[in-house]
Amino acid sequence: MGFKFEIVKANRISQNIVEQIRSAILEGELKIGDQLPSEKDFSKHFGVSKSSLREAYRVLEAYGLLEIRQGMTGGAFIKEVDLSTVKDSLVNYFFFQNPGLREYTQIRTFLEPQVVRICAEIITDKDIEYLENNILAMEEEPEGETFMSDLDSAFHKKLVDITDNKIISLVVESVQKALINIKRIVHTDQDFLKMVCNGHRKIVSALKAHDPEQASHAMIDHINEVEKGMMASKGGTMIITEKGLLKKNRTSQ
Amino acid sequence: MGFKFEIVKANRISQNIVEQIRSAILEGELKIGDQLPSEKDFSKHFGVSKSSLREAYRVLEAYGLLEIRQGMTGGAFIKEVDLSTVKDSLVNYFFFQNPGLREYTQIRTFLEPQVVRICAEIITDKDIEYLENNILAMEEEPEGETFMSDLDSAFHKKLVDITDNKIISLVVESVQKALINIKRIVHTDQDFLKMVCNGHRKIVSALKAHDPEQASHAMIDHINEVEKGMMASKGGTMIITEKGLLKKNRTSQ
DNA sequence: AATATTAAAACATCTGATCTTTTAATATTT
DNA sequence: AAATATTAAAAGATCAGATGTTTTAATATT
């Protein structure tokens, strides 16, 4: 018998509701800001208990599709999925995949040089001003571990935002975020900071000259230098959650 | 008063539990396969009701961190987050961001030429055989709308897998998945199929010759041709969910 | 007019009972 | 002895309904 049957899973009630609502959103029936009925009304409508409906709401909330507010004017509202939801999902995924520094560096060297190529063509004076201020702030930081990371992220984020490509922004920012977690423990001394500032200066200088080729090279050099700097002080991959928790992961795959 | 206070949100019990368990996972206290206590025991341990604990379990399950099985040997087990969870999250995100065809093409032209550059260096005869069989299968498909997409995905997935970079794989595959949804309605005639096969042939030919430069160019041409082909028949962005539901999104945003 | 109180809507949590699923252990049949 | 059927237990799934908490609108008071 060459038939291929699909496995039938006894669907949970809450899962069924989740799918119905998610479909309604993806089909456009439910728009951002739309309010779903109250727990009481909606559970009655579905003919299920309040607990089942609540579980469905929790899941949709976890997906970032729903915002639930308490109080008289509260309720369940359709929400646009925000970046942090996707990033968290990526962080969870990367935690188990546990990519090496090489993998992060590689995708950066694929994307960011191209990003600054585009930037070189279309960057405005205002953008350049922002980037220069960012470098100044970084140089003035004395031993600014955390702050330096924020400024570093902001620098790269600014560049990718100029390209106006949401997908690339998401990827670059997520990689940046994952890298910060590694950087934070691995290395943050003055030499490292000076090296980063130097790299950023060269990139901005090329952008100012509207020279794509030079900008691209400056970016490649910068990314490779950063990797080298991080390799110098070895260490396992670390992940810092939103709540500031640390995790040293040395699983040998 | 220049102080900056953070907003205090009355945390839900379930959210608190979610964070505790997620932290325990990211800190390495909980490993893949570990079983959490039963609902009854664990809720007693936390000093909360079963409903609150169950809501926490639902959320962790939505994150892809937990697998819950019913029955005598069932329970809640720590699970590795799988690709489909992240992809779904990306689909949700892209739905609202609604990137244009240009954005997909752009990130592809940044990543995939570099991917085949690497492939050209390290590709094996077995890999090439796989790719050639893939092309043959595609050419033999008469009007294989869906199947063609599957083969096309498999082709690009194979290439990116050769690079052995989990991050790039995730990105390329997600973009691929999103594109299929657009392609499926936009265009799938014989000319399109022939054009795709032709592009793939050129890429494989360059890989066979272990010529990175040629492979890269063949890939760039291929991606651009596909975009042109898709632009020809205009249409809104479409999204197909896991369950096969369609959504035409024309929000002018 | 400003402030304080109250009421109501909606979510949050709890208790405890009753299915349903799954599998291990046991009993029955062949 | 082996195959099959039955039973029991563990654990999740669902339900019903009570009670608490938040938030805001309406009202009353100063």
Side-chain angles (χ1 to χ4, degrees):
Chain A
M1 164 180 96
F3 263 29
K4 202 178 131 193
F5 294 103
E6 284 187 19
I7 288 153
V8 180
K9 62 254 156 114
N11 274 327
R12 243 182 242 130
I13 285 179
S14 59
Q15 196 186 323
N16 185 308
I17 294 174
V18 165
E19 276 156 21
Q20 285 194 51
I21 295 176
R22 180 168 183 255
S23 295
I25 294 170
L26 295 180
E27 282 170 27
E29 284 171 49
L30 289 170
K31 299 277 186 194
I32 296 169
D34 283 358
Q35 179 170 14
L36 299 180
S38 73
E39 289 178 357
K40 197 163 77 81
D41 291 350
F42 218 15
S43 58
K44 193 167 290 176
H45 171 266
F46 279 118
V48 303
S49 75
K50 246 179 32 174
S51 350
S52 292
L53 187 87
R54 274 177 66 79
E55 287 179 20
Y57 275 11
R58 282 292 93 74
V59 171
L60 288 164
E61 207 180 21
Y63 288 166
L65 292 168
L66 215 56
E67 185 189 344
I68 291 161
R69 290 199 299 272
Q70 229 182 135
M72 194 188 196
T73 56
F77 301 86
I78 306 296
K79 205 194 72 167
E80 177 180 21
V81 176
D82 55 33
L83 202 54
S84 69
T85 306
V86 196
K87 282 190 194 164
D88 278 351
S89 179
L90 286 166
V91 167
N92 288 343
Y93 179 70
F94 288 161
F95 171 74
F96 291 106
Q97 295 304 312
N98 195 27
L101 191 51
R102 181 200 129 256
E103 300 182 41
Y104 289 110
T105 302
Q106 194 173 50
I107 191 167
R108 289 189 77 189
T109 59
F110 286 179
L111 290 178
E112 298 200 60
Q114 305 276 24
V115 164
V116 288
R117 265 208 174 85
I118 295 174
C119 289
E121 313 270 12
I122 61 173
I123 199 165
T124 65
D125 290 349
K126 219 182 127 198
D127 294 330
I128 289 175
E129 195 190 319
Y130 176 93
L131 294 170
E132 286 181 331
N133 284 333
N134 176 285
I135 297 173
L136 284 175
M138 201 185 264
E139 282 170 342
E140 268 158 34
E141 269 298 295
E143 266 298 331
E145 307 187 8
T146 327
F147 195 44
M148 186 277 230
S149 281
D150 288 349
L151 287 169
D152 187 40
S153 292
F155 184 88
H156 290 271
K157 177 172 159 43
K158 179 69 188 175
L159 293 175
V160 78
D161 281 348
I162 291 171
T163 65
D164 193 31
N165 184 315
K166 296 168 211 90
I167 306 172
I168 299 179
S169 288
L170 167 63
V171 174
V172 169
E173 284 172 38
S174 296
V175 168
Q176 189 72 22
K177 185 177 175 184
L179 268 177
I180 288 171
N181 296 337
I182 300 180
K183 229 182 286 185
R184 204 166 275 171
I185 4 82
V186 166
H187 219 123
T188 344
D189 59 20
Q190 278 293 327
D191 289 345
F192 190 83
L193 194 149
K194 209 164 285 175
M195 182 259 282
V196 170
C197 291
N198 223 313
H200 287 191
R201 280 225 169 281
K202 281 181 190 155
I203 292 165
V204 172
S205 153
L207 292 176
K208 245 171 148 169
H210 295 283
D211 184 336
E213 209 52 39
Q214 199 189 322
S216 167
H217 275 96
M219 179 58 91
I220 293 175
D221 290 346
H222 171 55
I223 294 170
N224 284 323
E225 271 180 354
V226 167
E227 184 189 26
K228 221 182 288 174
M230 290 174 68
M231 296 260 275
S233 76
K234 68 183 195 310
T237 304
M238 300 276 302
I239 289 191
I240 298 178
T241 71
E242 299 286 87
K243 305 295 160 192
L245 290 151
L246 295 186
K247 154 62 191 163
K248 192 175 307 191
N249 188 320
R250 291 173 191 277
T251 26
S252 58
Q253 170 41 286
Chain B
M1 160 182 99
F3 263 27
K4 199 178 134 194
F5 293 103
E6 283 187 18
I7 287 153
V8 179
K9 62 253 158 118
N11 273 328
R12 240 181 246 132
I13 285 178
S14 60
Q15 195 186 324
N16 185 308
I17 294 173
V18 166
E19 276 156 21
Q20 283 194 52
I21 296 176
R22 180 167 185 255
S23 296
I25 294 170
L26 296 180
E27 281 170 26
E29 284 170 49
L30 289 171
K31 299 277 186 193
I32 296 170
D34 283 358
Q35 179 170 14
L36 298 180
S38 72
E39 289 179 356
K40 195 163 81 79
D41 292 351
F42 218 14
S43 58
K44 195 168 285 174
H45 172 266
F46 280 118
V48 304
S49 75
K50 247 180 29 173
S51 354
S52 292
L53 187 87
R54 273 177 66 78
E55 286 180 19
Y57 275 11
R58 281 293 93 75
V59 171
L60 289 163
E61 208 180 19
Y63 288 165
L65 292 168
L66 216 56
E67 185 190 343
I68 292 162
R69 290 200 299 270
Q70 230 182 136
M72 195 188 197
T73 56
F77 301 86
I78 307 296
K79 204 194 71 169
E80 177 180 21
V81 176
D82 55 32
L83 202 55
S84 70
T85 306
V86 195
K87 283 190 194 164
D88 278 351
S89 179
L90 286 166
V91 168
N92 288 342
Y93 179 69
F94 288 160
F95 171 74
F96 291 107
Q97 295 304 314
N98 195 26
L101 191 51
R102 182 201 129 255
E103 300 182 42
Y104 289 110
T105 301
Q106 194 173 49
I107 191 166
R108 289 189 77 189
T109 60
F110 287 179
L111 290 177
E112 297 200 62
Q114 304 277 22
V115 164
V116 289
R117 265 208 174 85
I118 295 174
C119 289
E121 312 272 11
I122 60 174
I123 199 164
T124 66
D125 290 348
K126 218 182 127 197
D127 294 331
I128 289 174
E129 197 190 318
Y130 176 93
L131 293 171
E132 287 181 331
N133 284 334
N134 176 285
I135 297 173
L136 285 176
M138 202 185 263
E139 283 170 341
E140 267 159 33
E141 268 300 294
E143 265 298 330
E145 308 188 8
T146 327
F147 195 45
M148 187 278 227
S149 282
D150 288 349
L151 286 169
D152 187 42
S153 292
F155 184 89
H156 290 271
K157 177 172 161 42
K158 179 68 187 175
L159 293 175
V160 77
D161 281 347
I162 291 171
T163 65
D164 194 31
N165 184 316
K166 298 169 209 89
I167 305 172
I168 299 178
S169 289
L170 166 63
V171 174
V172 170
E173 285 172 37
S174 297
V175 168
Q176 189 72 22
K177 184 178 174 183
L179 267 177
I180 287 172
N181 296 337
I182 300 179
K183 227 181 288 185
R184 204 165 277 170
I185 4 83
V186 166
H187 219 124
T188 344
D189 59 21
Q190 278 293 329
D191 289 345
F192 191 83
L193 195 149
K194 210 164 282 176
M195 182 260 282
V196 170
C197 290
N198 223 313
H200 287 191
R201 280 226 168 278
K202 281 182 190 156
I203 293 165
V204 172
S205 153
L207 292 175
K208 244 171 150 170
H210 295 284
D211 185 337
E213 209 53 39
Q214 199 189 323
S216 167
H217 275 97
M219 180 59 92
I220 292 175
D221 289 346
H222 172 54
I223 295 170
N224 284 323
E225 270 179 355
V226 168
E227 184 190 24
K228 221 182 287 174
M230 290 175 70
M231 296 260 275
S233 76
K234 69 180 192 311
T237 303
M238 300 277 301
I239 289 190
I240 298 178
T241 71
E242 298 287 87
K243 303 296 159 195
L245 291 151
L246 295 186
K247 153 65 190 164
K248 192 173 308 189
N249 188 321
R250 291 174 189 274
T251 25
S252 53
Q253 212 319 336

